[in-house]
Each structure stands twice: as C-alpha cells, then as structure tokens.
C-alpha cells in the first residue's frame, strides 16, 4: 500500500477537518512567525540551499539503518494511528515514521525536504492507544505547520554552537539565534498540542499523556485537577527571584514545562476557537496566501498582552503595574525580592535619612 493512502479511518467516529489550515490551531506567537517567514520572497529557496549543510541526509540514513520504520508489517497499530491523524488533518502525504530504541519518552518531527516522525520505545511503552493517538497527532501537526524545517535548523545550530565555542564571540552570536528559535519552538509545541487534541478529540487522553510524560506510568497515583493546580502554583508562586529563575530554567528548553502545557491545552479546549473548529468553522489552506503579516503580528501582540495582564506571576504583575503607571514601584520591587534590594549598601534603619513626613503619611500615598 502506498504511503500516501488513507485507506484506514479512525477506530471510532471522529470529525475530519478537510482542507484545514494550520493557522486554525497555531498559537498566535507561532502563527505570526510562520506567516512572516512564509511571506519572505525566496525564503524556501534559501532553506533548500541549506540542506547541503544540514545533517538531514545523515539523520534519515541513521533512522533507516538503526530504527524500525513503521508500516503495515512493523508497529502496524502505530501505522494505523499515523494514517488516521493525516486523514483527520487532511495531510495529503503520510510522512514516514520510525520507532527508535530509547527509554526516554520522546517524539519529534524533523526534515527540510520532507518531514519524518520519530517516536522512542520509551514513549510507545508508556502511553495507551488514545494517548499515543494524541502524540502522533501532535507530530502530524508539526508536519502540517512546517515546523520540521525550523526544528532541523535548531538542532543544527545547537550542534554548531558547541563546535565554535572556542571562537571568541562566535558561540554568543549563534546562541542568540538558538535562544530566539527556542522561544518560538516552545510556542510551536503549544500549537502541536492543539493539533493532537484535534486528532484524538479526547481531552482526557491528552491530559493523561502529559501527566505520564511528567510522572511515569502511575496514573492511579495521579489526579488531573491536582496536576493542573501545580501549573497554577508554578505561575503564581514565589517572588521576583522565582520569576527570574523560571525564565532561566525555561531558556535552555525546547518544550514548555509539562504542567504548563496541560493548563494551556485545557484552556484552549474550553475556548470558543476550539468549539468553532469542531463545528466546522476554521481557516482553510487555500486562504493562506491571503493572510496578512500585520494581522498575525497584531494577534500575537494581543495574545502576549493578554497573557501579561492575566498572569499571576510576580514579574508579570510588576510589568503590568509599570505599564499602568502604578506608584511605589521601588517598594514593590523591594518587597518582591524579599529584601534583596535592601542589602548592606542601604544601611541600617538608624543610618538611613529620616523621613520628616507625619507617621501616618507614606510616600506616593501608598499604604
């Protein structure tokens, strides 16, 4: 049977999204970057020219020679899920998929000319059928969005940064690009999580899969509500020091933290946008050429602004206060850092100048 065939349909009735554009499920920050890149004249040609420099051929040969290619004869149940996912998202050509021996649960979609999907044995052994269906849908979403191109470049640049670390400033320049790509790719992971939900159409299975990736195959010891509460505690907890540590912790990662992914996916599943897609109202691929870059950037900026305004993170609250012109910003910073701002340089209370205002009057009128 040719790889492009969609003979098998989902094992239970699922909605199919004929002609769906990846813009339907892409996170606004991911979408704006992709729309801008797609609009650049000659962009695809330049990236094709890079294929000789990137280790894509090597990767393909490596997986072909040292992994198991999914087919009707090998991992047939995964092959059925792959064809189902491509059928639901109306991806015309089914990408090759490999199972790689690795106890670490992981999956990826890479490739410049054509995407290839790789899942590890650790992931296959960890997830049940519906959870795995969401993961494969996640990777097919990457393929439909064209993420595999940028993912391959990110892998190449990360490797290159290690090779040129001895060159003065060379590593810094490349790592600046890598850091920007990682920030984009973390948003693209949120997009692919949404694609996985559109394929599986089972939010509980998607949540179970994320929980297992975080805590292993111990669902009887885990609880979805408690897991989501962790995300809320992570978002709101701590002071400004913790906010800085969160940024430093996430910068080297290509994926958002698992609890954050679960919370973001649940929020999207409860949104009007998701319901409209399920009702058959979504942007189509044949309309992609008419998409305006300015509109996409505007949506991205609006999404970030909404995130900052609604965030419970201490640093985001401070940003909102500064933007809103709130008073006593210095005091808020000092309190946020738990006294870090008032070190020995500030002196002891008796060494500091006394405020000659009345005891019941504080600076800026703040109580």
């Amino acid at each position: 049977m040719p790889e492009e065939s969609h003979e098998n349909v989902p094992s239970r009735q699922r909605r199919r999204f004929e002609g769906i554009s990846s813009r339907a499920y892409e996170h606004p920050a991911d979408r704006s970057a992709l729309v801008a890149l797609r609009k650049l004249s000659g962009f695809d040609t330049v990236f094709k020219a890079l294929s000789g420099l990137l280790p894509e051929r090597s990767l393909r040969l490596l997986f072909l020679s040292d992994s198991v290619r999914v087919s009707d004869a090998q991992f047939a149940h995964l092959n059925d899920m792959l064809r189902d996912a491509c059928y639901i998202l109306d991806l015309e050509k089914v990408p090759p998929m490999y199972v790689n021996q690795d106890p670490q649960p992981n999956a990826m979609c890479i490739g410049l000319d054509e995407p290839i999907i790789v899942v590890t044995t650790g992931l296959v052994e960890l997830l049940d059928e519906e959870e795995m269906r969401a993961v494969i849908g996640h990777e097919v979403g990457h393929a439909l969005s064209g993420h595999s191109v940028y993912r391959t470049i990110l892998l190449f640049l990360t490797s290159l940064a290690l090779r040129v670390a001895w060159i003065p400033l060379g590593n810094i320049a490349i790592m600046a690009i890598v850091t920007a790509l990682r920030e984009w790719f973390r948003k693209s992971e949120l997009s692919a999580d949404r694609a996985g939900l559109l394929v599986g159409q089972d939010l509980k299975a998607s949540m179970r899969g994320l929980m297992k990736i975080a805590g292993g195959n111990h669902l009887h010891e885990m609880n979805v509500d408690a897991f989501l509460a962790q995300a809320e505690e992570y978002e709101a907890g701590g002071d400004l020091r913790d906010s800085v540590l969160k940024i430093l912790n996430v910068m080297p990662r290509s994926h958002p933290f698992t609890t954050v992914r679960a919370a973001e996916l649940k929020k999207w599943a409860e949104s009007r946008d998701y319901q409209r897609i399920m009702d058959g109202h979504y942007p189509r691929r044949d309309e992609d050429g008419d998409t305006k870059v300015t509109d996409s950037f505007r949506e991205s900026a609006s999404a970030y602004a909404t995130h900052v305004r609604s965030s419970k993170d201490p640093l985001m609250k401070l940003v909102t206060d500064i933007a809103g012109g709130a008073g006593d910003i210095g005091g808020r910073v000092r309190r946020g850092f738990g006294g870090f701002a008032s070190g020995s340089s500030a002196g002891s209370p008796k060494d500091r100048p006394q405020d000659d205002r009345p005891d019941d009057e504080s600076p800026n009128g703040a109580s």
Side-chain angles (χ1 to χ4, degrees):
M1 179 184 296
E3 285 187 335
E4 293 80 1
S5 172
H6 292 302
E7 179 177 304
N8 291 346
V9 295
S11 57
R12 65 174 172 81
Q13 189 63 40
R14 291 178 175 85
R15 183 178 296 278
R16 186 188 186 210
F17 307 103
E18 187 173 358
I20 191 172
S21 167
S22 59
R23 292 182 292 116
Y25 58 80
E26 285 163 353
H27 185 280
D30 174 27
R31 188 189 314 133
S32 63
L34 290 175
V35 169
L37 289 173
R38 290 163 185 158
K39 288 289 184 179
L40 287 178
S41 178
F43 176 79
D44 290 339
T45 304
V46 171
F47 271 74
K48 296 293 184 184
L50 280 174
S51 61
L53 302 175
L54 301 179
E56 181 183 9
R57 286 181 179 273
S58 174
L59 287 172
R60 288 181 183 276
L61 289 172
L62 178 63
F63 291 126
L64 185 62
S65 64
D66 205 32
S67 301
V68 176
R69 183 160 59 189
V70 172
S71 66
D72 286 332
Q74 302 185 118
F75 290 100
H77 71 293
L78 295 182
N79 200 38
D80 289 343
M81 291 184 203
L82 177 62
R83 283 195 292 243
D84 291 350
C86 294
Y87 174 81
I88 290 171
L89 292 181
D90 199 13
L91 186 64
E92 182 178 350
K93 187 172 183 179
V94 180
M97 183 163 75
Y98 294 88
V99 176
N100 180 245
Q101 169 61 30
D102 186 343
Q104 182 72 25
N106 198 13
M108 62 179 172
C109 180
I110 57 173
L112 286 176
D113 295 323
E114 293 182 354
I116 62 173
I117 295 172
V118 181
V119 297
T120 65
T121 52
L123 190 70
V124 174
E125 292 163 5
L126 178 65
L127 304 182
D128 68 24
E129 180 178 344
E130 292 302 307
E131 295 157 7
M132 194 69 197
R133 190 183 297 278
V135 168
I136 292 176
H138 173 112
E139 299 306 325
V140 170
H142 276 313
L144 182 58
S145 287
H147 291 155
S148 60
V149 173
Y150 316 112
R151 173 66 168 174
T152 305
I153 293 170
L154 177 58
L155 289 171
F156 171 71
L157 289 176
T158 303
S159 173
L160 182 63
L162 297 175
R163 296 178 189 175
V164 301
W166 59 275
I167 302 176
L169 300 181
N171 185 50
I172 295 176
I174 293 176
M175 285 310 298
I177 300 173
V178 168
T179 300
L181 275 173
R182 280 177 177 157
E183 166 60 18
W184 159 75
F185 200 80
R186 285 191 291 271
K187 296 300 185 291
S188 77
E189 286 299 312
L190 300 179
S191 300
D193 282 343
R194 297 174 179 184
L197 178 58
L198 290 177
V199 167
Q201 298 173 27
D202 184 345
L203 179 61
K204 291 181 179 179
S206 293
M207 302 300 279
R208 290 198 310 268
L210 289 170
M211 289 171 64
K212 283 185 176 180
I213 290 172
N217 195 12
H218 304 281
L219 278 179
H220 62 289
E221 298 284 356
M222 293 185 275
N223 177 276
V224 172
D225 292 335
F227 189 66
L228 292 172
Q230 288 182 226
E232 187 172 347
E233 181 180 345
Y234 171 79
E235 170 77 8
D239 54 26
L240 290 179
R241 289 169 297 181
D242 296 300
S243 297
V244 174
L245 290 174
K246 291 176 190 176
I247 295 171
L248 295 176
N249 284 341
V250 80
M251 279 180 64
R253 296 174 59 94
S254 62
H255 288 58
F257 293 114
T258 316
T259 57
V260 174
R261 289 172 63 184
E264 288 285 336
L265 184 60
K266 185 173 185 293
K267 186 188 306 180
W268 187 71
E270 295 170 348
S271 71
R272 186 168 177 268
D273 289 340
Y274 174 73
Q275 191 55 55
R276 282 179 57 82
I277 295 173
M278 295 305 295
D279 290 340
H281 305 294
Y282 50 81
R284 310 269 170 165
R285 248 168 274 167
D286 54 16
E287 302 167 351
D288 284 350
D290 300 326
T291 307
K292 295 182 179 179
V293 177
T294 52
D295 291 342
S296 297
F297 278 131
R298 193 177 298 115
E299 291 177 15
S300 177
S302 175
Y304 270 116
T306 301
H307 171 71
V308 171
R309 285 195 302 269
S310 62
S311 176
K312 298 177 182 178
D313 181 85
L315 181 58
M316 294 298 101
K317 285 184 177 180
L318 179 62
V319 170
T320 303
D321 288 345
I322 293 174
D328 192 25
I329 295 299
R332 288 170 184 259
V333 171
R334 286 193 296 274
R335 290 192 295 273
F337 276 102
F340 259 34
S342 55
S344 59
S345 61
S348 63
K350 66 179 181 180
D351 294 329
R352 289 195 295 268
Q354 296 296 311
D355 195 332
D356 56 5
R357 280 172 291 209
D359 291 339
D360 59 350
E361 183 179 341
S362 57
N364 300 319
S367 58

